[in-house]
Amino acid sequence: MEENQTQPTVSMPRIGEAAPEFKAVTTQGEINFPSDYKGSWVILFSHPADFTPVCTSEFMTFASMEKQFNQANCKLVGLSVDGLYSHIAWLRTIKEKIEYKGMKDVEVTFPLIEDITMEVATKYGMMMPGESNTKAVRAVFIIDPKGIIRTIIYYPLSLGRNFDELYRALIALQTADEFEVATPADWQPGDDVIVPTAGSCGTAKERMESKDEMHCYDWFFCTKKLDKESILDKILKK
């Protein structure tokens, strides 16, 4: 007679919740998360293991784009369940030996968390039994300056991330906050943005009849222009 085997419950933080707190050792010293990053946006991301090809390509890309993220008031924090010395050896190998897509001599200066006990990975639901019981999937958490989770993206072990999309999502979130709008599919800075849906019949009628800068496809779907310079002037550090 077979015994019933139950899968362990995986804790999953949700969008709109406070980012789970933790203290950790990293390649840049000890951090208290998210309190050390108050006032900044943060991208907290996990990778399955050091010395693996997909992860190497990702870390080189993130490191090459770090200044771009920093200008948008965003800090990068990586995590894997490998140990600190493995992290250090891997990052040195990347800097000293790896050339990929024109990137070489790449130094990773953002912190990479040691999570041998999988405490942090478990808090953030990064362990997926369907993928591996010992490796964190490619999770991405975008966390706002108040420590609130705003975006969650998960990739399987085999799929490398699109870093242009992560940057686009960061800018879109900040644009939505700053200008009280939403962003449509495939939005890029400079594209039209969506204004909040009309809250009354009168407002809806006015919008449909309006000849101003707003364009309404129907009463519930109206857009307006928001130029790229206005967005980047508000978001990017000078």
Side-chain angles (χ1 to χ4, degrees):
M1 183 176 178
E2 294 184 0
E3 296 182 4
N4 291 329
Q5 294 185 345
T6 58
Q7 291 287 346
T9 301
V10 178
S11 173
M12 296 284 290
R14 295 175 294 186
I15 291 173
E17 292 183 343
E21 298 179 356
F22 63 84
K23 181 183 292 186
V25 172
T26 81
T27 51
Q28 298 295 321
E30 189 174 276
I31 64 171
N32 289 283
F33 194 89
S35 59
D36 285 351
Y37 297 88
K38 186 176 181 180
S40 297
W41 289 78
V42 182
I43 292 181
L44 171 66
F45 67 100
S46 58
H47 73 279
D50 300 341
F51 293 101
T52 55
V54 177
C55 299
T56 298
S57 71
E58 291 191 322
F59 264 71
M60 293 183 75
T61 304
F62 246 148
S64 297
M65 294 178 68
E66 184 179 14
K67 183 178 179 180
Q68 186 178 351
F69 281 98
N70 288 171
Q71 287 180 329
N73 191 31
C74 181
K75 306 296 184 184
L76 306 176
V77 181
L79 174 147
S80 89
V81 297
D82 290 320
L84 182 63
Y85 297 122
S86 173
H87 287 348
I88 293 171
W90 177 48
L91 297 185
R92 286 187 63 181
T93 298
I94 288 176
K95 178 173 173 54
E96 295 171 3
K97 297 182 179 181
I98 307 298
E99 181 175 353
Y100 173 71
K101 285 190 172 181
M103 297 179 287
K104 63 180 180 178
D105 193 32
V106 174
E107 185 171 6
V108 176
T109 59
F110 56 82
L112 174 52
I113 295 169
E114 173 188 75
D115 193 29
I116 297 175
T117 63
M118 297 187 283
E119 177 185 354
V120 180
T122 300
K123 279 187 175 183
Y124 278 81
M126 295 171 173
M127 310 304 296
M128 297 285 167
E131 286 286 304
S132 172
N133 288 316
T134 59
K135 295 178 181 178
V137 295
R138 301 181 198 284
V140 179
F141 291 84
I142 302 181
I143 299 164
D144 71 17
K146 296 180 180 178
I148 303 299
I149 295 171
R150 300 292 298 277
T151 298
I152 302 173
I153 309 173
Y154 279 74
Y155 300 80
L157 303 182
S158 61
L159 181 60
R161 287 166 272 224
N162 183 314
F163 290 82
D164 289 335
E165 168 59 15
L166 298 183
Y167 181 76
R168 187 195 77 92
L170 173 70
I171 298 300
L173 287 167
Q174 295 190 48
T175 300
D177 287 359
E178 188 68 39
F179 296 94
E180 298 183 345
V181 295
T183 54
D186 295 327
W187 178 86
Q188 295 286 346
D191 294 347
D192 290 358
V193 294
I194 296 173
V195 299
T197 303
S200 69
C201 293
T203 302
K205 184 174 184 295
E206 289 174 7
R207 286 186 176 183
M208 293 301 293
E209 296 175 350
S210 174
K211 302 299 183 182
D212 63 15
E213 62 180 11
M214 194 178 301
H215 176 75
C216 290
Y217 299 89
D218 206 329
W219 67 268
F220 64 91
F221 185 5
C222 295
T223 63
K224 68 177 182 180
K225 294 188 180 300
L226 184 57
D227 64 89
K228 183 176 181 179
E229 290 72 23
S230 296
I231 294 170
L232 300 184
D233 185 59
K234 284 283 188 180
I235 292 174
L236 300 186
K237 294 179 180 179
K238 300 296 187 294

